[in-house]
Structures are given as C-alpha cells and as structure tokens.
Amino acid sequence: MVEAAVVVRDLRVRYGEHAALRGLTLAAARNEILAIVGPARSGKSTLLSVLNRTVEHVPQARWSGDVQLHGAAIRDLDPSALRRRVAMVLPLPVGLPMSIYDNVALAPRMSGVRDRTRLDAIVHDCLRRAALWDEVKDRLSELGTRLSGGQQQRLTLARALSTAPEVLCLDEFSIAIDPITTARIEEALAEMRASMTIVLVTNLLGQARRVSDRTAFLLDGELVEQGPTRELFAAPRDPRTRDYLAGRFG
C-alpha cells in the first residue's frame, strides 16, 4: 500500500462570502509528483496555501476540514515548523536583497546551523538540485537580486530546498521564466521526488503530462477527477475533464 504524505478531507475555504474550496478530498503519496490543474479561480493556489497555513495570513480567510502531513493534523503543528516541512515556491521569483549564498543559507542559519562547512554543503547541494550551481558557483557573494528572472526563480527554489522539506509546493513556477529554464527545473523535479513529495499547480497541461505521476482536476472549488496522469489524459471519465483537457474552456 502506498503511504500518503498529505491527506486532505472535506477541505472548505472561504474568503469572506466567496467559497474557494467546497469539500475537497484528495491525497498525495510519498515521493510522487501530484499535478493540480484547472481554470482560474478553481481553488488550486488556495489548496497550496492551506497546506503550509499561509492562508491564515489572508484577511477574512477561513478554512475547515482535516489536513494531515504524514499522519499529523496540520492544525496541531507550529506554523513556522510546518512551513519548514512544507515549502512553497510562488509564481514570481522573490530574490532576497542579500548574496546568492546568504539567500540559500538564511533558513539553515535561522534553524541553528552555524558550521561553515555544513552551510557550504547545504548551499552547494540546494543550488545544484535547483539547476543553478554551474551558473553562479564563481559569484556566490553577488546579490541574488541581480540574477536574471529565470535564475532568481531557481534561487527561490534552492532557498525552498534549504529546509529539507517533506513536501514542496510549486505554484505556477514557470509563469515568468523562459522555456529553457522551465525545462531545467522540470528535469530537476525528477531527482527531488526521491526525497520529497511535490504538489505542482500548473496551467500548462503539457507540463503536467511531462512531470507528474498523478493529476487532479479542480473546477469551481471542487475535485472533478483525479488519477494516474497518463490515464487521466488518455481517457478522462468526466465530460468536464474531457472538455478542459481539449481546451474547450479554461
């Protein structure tokens, strides 16, 4: 039996009077890439914001239901500790105004890592896994904000990896970067999957087909259909899924 890393049961989220998620139930297995697809305002990004509880910073946001990380209810976990375990990469790159090295070393230092040799190893490993090391290894002291947009997005990914997360949430990571950079990150995801679960929100159906093990289709805050990616794309059961994958709406 495949072990679940994330389990979501009857998740409901409201922003004031607007219902963003309406009783969502799904799971992400350990060491799989789960793609979440659907049109705008289907609740995809809201789901990710619940997984690391950043939704609680949104005014008038309220959520209910049972969300578990490796069997523990996330409501019972310290939010800061949870966000180290469930890392997030947002659509637009956010480079911190510090050196490339310090961008990646920041979270480990905040967790108490002081040994320079260990920090060097973390920085090297995270930049390598984010497919950025070869481009910046000779200029780690330069400001991260001076990198190109694609490089800054990979730096954001390296920073997310620096906490050794159990779950990595990627929210439209390729929306503002070029196809070559997108391909590099997609290739890196296969390696990352060996040590974590990846939940990928994407509007690029080709990307979902290329990188994910399973795909879930959301519409108007509800789960319409989910299944192994190859099967869902080849023979969707629900006509709404079929229409979305065919480009008839969205």
Side-chain angles (χ1 to χ4, degrees), residues 123-168:
V123 170
H124 172 267
D125 181 62
C126 292
L127 289 172
R128 181 192 60 80
R129 296 172 77 192
L132 186 57
W133 173 255
D134 288 340
E135 297 171 37
V136 301
K137 61 185 178 183
D138 297 323
R139 50 193 180 114
L140 296 177
S141 61
E142 291 185 11
L143 280 174
T145 50
R146 292 183 177 176
L147 295 174
S148 69
Q151 289 173 327
Q152 285 195 52
Q153 187 65 307
R154 282 178 284 159
L155 180 60
T156 301
L157 177 57
R159 196 166 64 237
L161 295 174
S162 71
T163 63
E166 298 161 43
V167 177
L168 177 64

Side-chain angles (χ1 to χ4, degrees), residues 209 229-236 245:
R209 295 184 73 161
T229 294
R230 184 174 300 178
E231 295 178 12
L232 185 138
F233 276 85
L245 297 181

Side-chain angles (χ1 to χ4, degrees), residues 4-250:
V6 175
V7 175
V8 176
R9 298 188 183 94
D10 195 27
L11 176 61
R12 300 174 186 272
V13 181
R14 300 189 70 87
Y15 300 114
E17 296 301 314
H18 171 65
L21 287 174
R22 309 164 185 267
L24 180 69
T25 295
L26 56 74
R30 182 188 290 268
N31 302 118
E32 82 164 351
I33 300 178
L34 172 66
I36 310 292
V37 302
R41 300 177 66 84
S42 59
K44 306 185 300 295
S45 296
T46 293
L47 170 61
L48 297 191
S49 70
V50 171
L51 295 184
N52 74 349
R53 291 179 56 183
T54 52
V55 70
E56 295 169 11
H57 296 310
V58 179
Q60 295 188 306
R62 299 290 183 272
W63 71 277
S64 64
D66 181 29
V67 181
Q68 297 188 2
L69 174 64
H70 294 300
I74 66 169
R75 282 191 182 277
D76 297 335
L77 301 176
D78 174 76
S80 296
L82 174 65
R83 289 168 197 145
R84 289 192 292 271
R85 298 174 64 187
V86 182
M88 181 84 75
V89 175
L90 298 173
L92 298 177
V94 182
L96 300 178
M98 56 183 65
S99 72
I100 296 168
Y101 185 100
D102 289 339
N103 261 268
V104 184
L106 177 63
R109 282 175 174 148
M110 293 180 66
S111 298
V113 179
R114 294 290 181 268
D115 180 73
R116 180 68 186 217
T117 300
R118 186 178 174 195
L119 285 172
D120 287 350
I122 292 172
V123 170
H124 172 267
D125 181 62
C126 292
L127 289 172
R128 181 192 60 80
R129 296 172 77 192
L132 186 57
W133 173 255
D134 288 340
E135 297 171 37
V136 301
K137 61 185 178 183
D138 297 323
R139 50 193 180 114
L140 296 177
S141 61
E142 291 185 11
L143 280 174
T145 50
R146 292 183 177 176
L147 295 174
S148 69
Q151 289 173 327
Q152 285 195 52
Q153 187 65 307
R154 282 178 284 159
L155 180 60
T156 301
L157 177 57
R159 196 166 64 237
L161 295 174
S162 71
T163 63
E166 298 161 43
V167 177
L168 177 64
C169 297
L170 301 175
D171 190 1
E172 297 287 0
F173 75 85
S174 58
I175 194 171
I177 57 178
D178 61 273
I180 293 176
T181 301
T182 296
R184 288 175 179 169
I185 296 177
E186 288 181 2
E187 290 174 1
L189 296 182
E191 177 187 348
M192 296 178 202
R193 177 176 54 187
S195 59
M196 67 187 72
T197 297
I198 299 172
V199 183
L200 168 66
V201 162
T202 180
N203 282 326
L204 303 176
L205 296 180
Q207 183 173 83
R209 295 184 73 161
R210 285 191 300 272
V211 306
S212 69
D213 301 294
R214 290 191 308 116
T215 297
F217 170 52
L218 273 57
L219 181 64
D220 294 330
E222 298 180 346
L223 176 67
V224 174
E225 187 171 349
Q226 64 177 319
T229 294
R230 184 174 300 178
E231 295 178 12
L232 185 138
F233 276 85
R237 297 185 301 275
D238 192 289
R240 293 169 295 176
T241 310
R242 190 178 307 115
D243 288 346
Y244 179 74
L245 297 181
R248 296 189 180 100
F249 72 93

